Amino acid sequence: MAMIIGNLSSVFLPTRLANSRRCLSKHCGPIFKWSRAVHVRASSTAFVEANPTDPTVVEREVGNGNKTNNLACPICYEPFVSSGDPALSVESVSGSTLQCGTCKKTYFGNKTHLDLTVASGTKNYGEPMPVSTELFRTPLVSFLYERGWRQSFSVWGGFPGPEKEFELAKGFLKPVLGGNIVDASCGSGLFSRLFAKSGLFSLVVALDYSENMLQQCYEFIEQEGDFPKENIILVRADISRLPFATSSIDAVHAGAALHCWPSPSAAVAEISRVLRPGGVFVATTYILDGPFEFVPFLRSLRQQTRQISGSFVFLSERELEDLCRACGLVGFTCIRNGAFVMISATKPT
């Protein structure tokens, strides 16, 4: 495992983050000082350099160019037969009809998104989700997410902010630029929109379980007159039942989402399934270590929190590395700033 931690220069992160805490875990490697470039030595001994101040050039196309071939039935994982626009986008999803060639179930698109959940189309059946999931489905929280909620992560969690997090993620995603990317648990599409506007990906899938979050994402897109709508699609789906064909996705990003998933292992296993060989998974979350290690009964408290809210609290980088490895991902790397952590792992080739 490779890890970057400690002093982040004001060129990349706000000055107030310069005194990031030092790593207290025994397996921590040397502490790097971030000046203009990031140097990551991965567990596979590959050397990767990402310089956020340099322009990014897309050197090659990854995967195929057909935007519908990647979508699949969340029940059978078989490709859809489309009766609408074969090049689905946020502009053409309304009125679209997708049918599974195996189970024959039909899925529909509404004004804002495609509903590709297993229970899509049911009238009388419904499943209650954990509190943490249902909270983000409420209209109020969905409205507030980019209007103060997400900004608070910088105050209590050391999150450097969307633009800086985007630059960090872009460094990890260099091997798959030009391909498609799924922004999993995208919320109101904060990063989905950044990915789409960057022009670095052939297709961006903004995916979330919350209908109201996707509604907010759609409204933000509509407010931008020159937004590249042809390269983004909004999809409602369950993170543990992703509606994509196996080995069809070049990259999956999950910003501030890992701790909200009812079963991180089920979610990361699904992400591993849909990634192509060489595909990249990048995610951010928070870790309660350092001074929290001295809190009595912390693991018991974590278990109680999970039972009540459905949220999962990570206590070390090792937990995240084990999670990725258990789900078939390799080359784990992480960057720390206080409680904030960004991880990256790759599907083996």
Side-chain angles (χ1 to χ4, degrees):
M1 179 187 75
M3 181 164 54
I4 298 175
I5 190 169
N7 293 332
L8 308 179
S9 81
S10 58
V11 172
F12 195 78
L13 295 178
T15 305
R16 64 180 179 76
L17 299 180
N19 295 323
S20 306
R21 72 163 183 82
R22 300 293 183 177
C23 178
L24 301 179
S25 57
K26 293 181 180 179
H27 64 276
C28 178
I31 297 174
F32 297 88
K33 182 178 179 64
W34 197 319
S35 55
R36 288 181 60 84
V38 184
H39 300 283
V40 182
R41 190 163 301 276
S43 57
S44 61
T45 71
F47 189 76
V48 183
E49 182 175 286
N51 192 330
T53 61
D54 291 339
T56 302
V57 179
V58 179
E59 297 181 350
R60 63 188 180 92
E61 291 291 329
V62 184
N64 63 67
N66 192 317
K67 296 181 180 181
T68 58
N69 280 356
N70 303 319
L71 291 175
C73 173
I75 300 171
C76 305
Y77 296 140
E78 293 296 327
F80 286 122
V81 178
S82 174
S83 62
D85 189 340
L88 290 172
S89 69
V90 72
E91 292 183 298
S92 62
V93 70
S94 180
S96 297
T97 302
L98 299 176
Q99 185 179 62
C100 176
T102 301
C103 72
K104 306 304 180 183
K105 178 170 179 176
T106 301
Y107 300 82
F108 301 95
N110 58 33
K111 180 182 177 181
T112 60
H113 64 272
L114 277 170
D115 190 342
L116 299 183
T117 56
V118 170
S120 171
T122 58
K123 296 180 179 180
N124 300 313
Y125 175 78
E127 286 182 332
M129 297 295 282
V131 173
S132 59
T133 301
E134 292 297 335
L135 178 66
F136 289 102
R137 295 182 69 189
T138 62
L140 179 60
V141 173
S142 299
F143 178 81
L144 292 176
Y145 190 75
E146 286 190 45
R147 298 174 175 90
W149 186 294
R150 185 56 165 81
Q151 290 83 343
S152 70
F153 294 5
S154 299
V155 178
W156 62 262
F159 281 66
E163 290 76 16
K164 305 302 188 299
E165 292 168 47
F166 173 72
E167 292 296 334
L168 279 171
K170 195 165 65 174
F172 287 124
L173 293 168
K174 276 191 173 182
V176 292
L177 294 183
N180 55 40
I181 185 169
V182 175
D183 189 19
S185 296
C186 67
S188 53
L190 185 60
F191 288 96
S192 305
R193 303 195 309 274
L194 288 173
F195 288 132
K197 289 188 291 186
S198 72
L200 298 175
F201 300 93
S202 59
L203 175 66
V204 177
V205 180
L207 182 146
D208 204 278
Y209 190 76
S210 169
E211 308 92 325
N212 284 303
M213 283 291 190
L214 293 172
Q215 174 69 34
Q216 288 294 315
C217 181
Y218 178 82
E219 292 178 2
F220 281 126
I221 290 173
E222 288 295 300
Q223 291 169 11
E224 297 190 43
D226 57 348
F227 192 92
K229 298 179 182 179
E230 68 279 3
N231 289 330
I232 186 171
I233 184 171
L234 279 58
V235 173
R236 180 174 182 248
D238 188 338
I239 191 63
S240 62
R241 201 78 186 175
L242 293 175
F244 305 106
T246 298
S247 300
S248 64
I249 302 299
D250 296 305
V252 175
H253 170 267
L258 268 170
H259 50 274
C260 296
W261 294 342
S263 173
S265 60
V268 178
E270 265 294 89
I271 290 168
S272 181
R273 178 187 67 80
V274 304
L275 282 175
R276 302 182 193 278
V280 178
F281 172 48
V282 178
T284 58
T285 185
Y286 66 92
I287 298 176
L288 294 185
D289 58 1
F292 291 97
E293 293 176 349
F294 302 102
V295 175
F297 312 113
L298 183 58
R299 292 187 178 275
S300 297
L301 290 172
R302 174 174 71 170
Q303 184 64 24
Q304 293 174 10
T305 299
R306 187 178 185 188
Q307 291 174 347
I308 296 171
S309 68
S311 297
F312 191 96
V313 179
F314 293 96
L315 302 180
S316 70
E317 295 98 350
R318 286 296 188 195
E319 285 188 333
L320 289 163
E321 183 177 16
D322 286 346
L323 172 63
C324 290
R325 185 188 299 113
C327 295
L329 301 177
V330 299
F332 180 89
T333 303
C334 73
I335 297 173
R336 293 293 307 272
N337 186 70
F340 167 83
V341 60
M342 176 176 284
I343 69 169
S344 175
T346 305
K347 181 78 170 285
T349 56

